[in-house]
Amino acid sequence: MAFTEFRPLDEKCLVEYIKATPALSDKIGNNFDDLKIKEVGDGNLNFVYIVVSPAGSFVIKQFDQLIVELSNSLFKIAFFSYEVKCVYGQAIPYIRCIGESWPMTKERAYFEALTLREHGRLSPENVPEVYHFDRIMSVIGMRYLEPPHIILRKGLVAGIEYPLLAEHISDYMAKTLYHTSLLYRTTTEHKHNVAEFCGNVELCRLTEQVVFSDPYKVSEYNRCTSPYLDRDAEAVREDNILKLEVAELKSKFCERAQALVHGDLHTGSIMVTRESTQVIDPEFAFYGPMGFDIGAFIGNLILAFYAQDGHADQGNDRKTYKEWILRTIKETWSLFYKKFTALWDEHKDGSGEAYLPGIYNNPELHQLVQRKYMQDLFHDTLGFGAAKMIRRIVGVAHVEDFESIPDASKRAQCERPALDLAKMLLKERRKFQSIDEVVSAIQQLQ
């Protein structure tokens, strides 16, 4: 069977596809007698299959392209369920778009594969290996993250501590962000890579709308825990200072090609065990502001912190777990700062053209430049993290941390202080000089 043009893979076609692809068939020792294939939904427009044999295993992810006019009911199925399962019509998922219709091209598979390989080269311990990519079929074959790996967000809801999380994620962010920036690369190399990723425009446009636009206006797709947060959502739409600040962040998101960012680095894009942290699903990747990735991760940890009271019971008040989350927030930024600046110091006389050695080789000037750069990055992190928090409470696509709290009144009691903190961080981010101050602000707004 030839695969010379795109076709959706069902289980039968997948077996034939694997047989025709040595990079995949070799992984299972060319043994198809005991092959087990399980289709799992990943919550997007993608078919995902787990392929297991006695000789080996891998995951197949295929991206589809559809443009579907959405009714309100379909949109609610697609976006409003915290489980966010795929919606199927004759085995083909409907598009989860924003607005009346939204094109989601198959090319996002190319950008995901490209990013997995680049980030995997820079941080191999924290990115699953890509075994195969087929641009025509929009197929990625990669390492299967076997149990007990679970999505980090689910672990946070369950109250599981991950002692190496801050160490691992700070390592991933420091390595991927530093080495894809002008601090390390020449302007020629950087512009070439920026141009390559400009093709991922549809998913960037989607982010622009759901993060920086919809929460601040009346939109048919916005929702909140009604009626408890109706006034809170209205207050977001009426806050002129908030709108000024989010406009500045949107401008940075659209215009500042600082590094190759994952683009969707929330706790649902990370799989974990107590010993392993694996970053997945970078289909939103592009060259953008570093703080967008760091902020997404820290912002989602803050959401998890505020959700804990909704998961507390008589056997576990979650207070100890909340303290662990706060330590993880603090350690993530502190370790990132340490590792990122260490890489900068190590390569300060290298080929990076952001600060040419011939101009900035004075130790005192180097420290001044580095201090300002990291301070600006810290404030970007707080701003983008806050924007991501706001959209998860009064925009579209909420998070399981809150949505799994069945009592709406109790859920709103958890969401409100998170929203208040996010608004304050977004508007007053430049007043914060350390992560300790941020953690203190979190503790005060409970």
Side-chain angles (χ1 to χ4, degrees):
M1 182 181 294
F3 295 90
T4 56
E5 60 183 26
F6 178 84
R7 69 177 75 173
L9 288 173
D10 57 22
E11 190 169 322
K12 181 179 178 181
C13 287
L14 179 58
V15 172
E16 296 304 315
Y17 184 83
I18 296 170
K19 287 180 179 179
T21 309
L24 298 176
S25 57
D26 289 350
K27 288 291 178 184
I28 56 172
N30 287 291
N31 180 358
F32 292 88
D33 294 333
D34 299 312
L35 198 64
K36 294 181 179 179
I37 298 175
K38 181 181 179 181
E39 195 275 329
V40 292
D42 73 339
N44 295 299
L45 265 181
N46 310 317
F47 299 100
V48 181
Y49 296 95
I50 298 171
V51 180
V52 179
S53 82
S57 62
F58 52 83
V59 167
I60 289 289
K61 184 174 182 179
Q62 186 182 40
F63 298 67
D64 202 1
Q65 176 180 1
L66 289 170
I67 304 175
V68 178
E69 298 295 323
L70 292 183
S71 68
N72 287 336
S73 59
L74 175 57
F75 189 87
K76 289 176 181 176
I77 292 172
F79 265 118
F80 290 179
S81 167
Y82 71 81
E83 290 290 343
V84 200
K85 299 296 185 183
C86 278
V87 182
Y88 285 95
Q90 298 182 341
I92 297 178
Y94 293 100
I95 190 168
R96 309 310 178 52
C97 60
I98 304 299
E100 294 181 355
S101 65
W102 199 284
M104 301 278 278
T105 71
K106 293 188 278 71
E107 277 298 277
R108 70 192 190 281
Y110 170 71
F111 296 108
E112 174 161 332
L114 206 60
T115 305
L116 284 170
R117 283 175 167 161
E118 178 64 359
H119 283 184
R121 181 182 68 84
L122 297 169
S123 186
E125 302 87 356
N126 303 118
V127 180
E129 181 182 356
V130 173
Y131 302 141
H132 169 73
F133 174 61
D134 182 336
R135 196 165 185 174
I136 293 174
M137 288 289 292
S138 297
V139 165
I140 302 175
M142 69 188 84
R143 175 191 166 194
Y144 169 43
L145 298 172
E146 65 283 345
H149 280 96
I150 63 169
I151 294 295
L152 173 58
R153 193 183 303 282
K154 293 187 177 295
L156 294 171
V157 171
I160 303 171
E161 292 187 17
Y162 298 99
L164 298 177
L165 177 60
E167 181 72 41
H168 289 167
I169 201 68
S170 62
D171 206 53
Y172 164 82
M173 293 190 299
K175 290 176 178 177
T176 58
L177 297 176
Y178 175 79
H179 287 107
T180 59
S181 76
L182 278 171
L183 295 173
Y184 183 77
R185 289 178 168 174
T186 66
T187 55
T188 300
E189 183 181 12
H190 191 72
K191 287 180 183 296
H192 172 79
N193 289 311
V194 170
E196 181 80 49
F197 273 85
C198 282
N200 204 14
V201 61
E202 287 86 4
L203 292 190
C204 286
R205 287 273 295 152
L206 180 59
T207 301
E208 291 164 29
Q209 181 165 338
V210 301
V211 176
F212 302 109
S213 297
D214 278 358
Y216 306 93
K217 66 178 184 178
V218 174
S219 169
E220 62 180 306
Y221 303 124
N222 287 343
R223 73 179 182 98
C224 66
T225 303
S226 184
Y228 306 100
L229 294 186
D230 288 352
R231 182 66 191 101
D232 301 79
E234 185 180 357
V236 169
R237 298 193 298 270
E238 294 176 348
D239 193 325
N240 289 337
I241 303 301
L242 196 65
K243 290 179 180 180
L244 285 174
E245 294 296 339
V246 84
E248 180 178 324
L249 290 171
K250 181 178 180 180
S251 177
K252 286 188 177 183
F253 177 87
C254 297
E255 298 167 0
R256 191 168 192 195
Q258 198 172 22
L260 176 57
V261 298
H262 177 284
D264 202 25
L265 192 58
H266 54 71
T267 52
S269 295
I270 301 168
M271 296 192 71
V272 290
T273 68
R274 287 179 60 84
E275 297 80 26
S276 171
T277 304
Q278 302 291 319
V279 178
I280 60 172
D281 293 345
E283 62 184 307
F284 282 80
F286 73 112
Y287 272 79
M290 296 180 186
F292 193 73
D293 269 5
I294 311 167
F297 180 73
I298 290 178
N300 274 261
L301 284 185
I302 297 173
L303 293 177
F305 171 86
Y306 282 109
Q308 294 307 311
D309 288 348
H311 300 295
D313 54 37
Q314 290 184 345
N316 185 353
D317 61 12
R318 296 287 181 112
K319 289 182 178 178
T320 300
Y321 192 64
K322 290 171 72 175
E323 291 173 1
W324 174 80
I325 294 177
L326 292 180
R327 287 199 306 274
T328 302
I329 291 169
K330 186 183 297 187
E331 290 171 4
T332 295
W333 173 259
S334 299
L335 288 169
F336 169 80
Y337 188 107
K338 179 180 178 181
K339 294 172 183 181
F340 189 90
T341 54
L343 287 169
W344 189 344
D345 291 341
E346 180 185 352
H347 299 285
K348 69 180 187 298
D349 296 321
S351 58
E353 293 187 354
Y355 301 98
L356 295 172
I359 302 173
Y360 299 94
N361 57 357
N362 179 297
E364 182 180 354
L365 179 57
H366 174 72
Q367 288 185 1
L368 287 172
V369 164
Q370 196 172 81
R371 190 178 302 121
K372 183 181 186 308
Y373 190 100
M374 297 306 292
Q375 183 181 58
D376 290 345
L377 179 52
F378 180 60
H379 293 154
D380 282 355
T381 294
L382 298 183
F384 286 121
K388 299 278 272 187
M389 291 171 65
I390 290 169
R391 81 95 161 186
R392 293 294 191 177
I393 299 172
V394 298
V396 72
H398 290 202
V399 292
E400 184 176 353
D401 310 67
F402 291 131
E403 295 296 285
S404 57
I405 300 170
D407 185 300
S409 174
K410 193 172 188 178
R411 185 191 319 140
Q413 290 173 14
C414 296
E415 291 175 314
R416 182 171 288 114
L419 180 60
D420 289 343
L421 178 90
K423 290 162 60 180
M424 184 269 291
L425 283 179
L426 204 157
K427 292 189 287 188
E428 302 179 18
R429 61 190 181 278
R430 299 172 194 85
K431 295 181 180 179
F432 290 87
Q433 300 304 311
S434 72
I435 193 66
D436 288 338
E437 293 177 7
V438 175
V439 169
S440 294
I442 296 170
Q443 292 171 315
Q444 291 169 17
L445 268 174
Q446 290 191 65

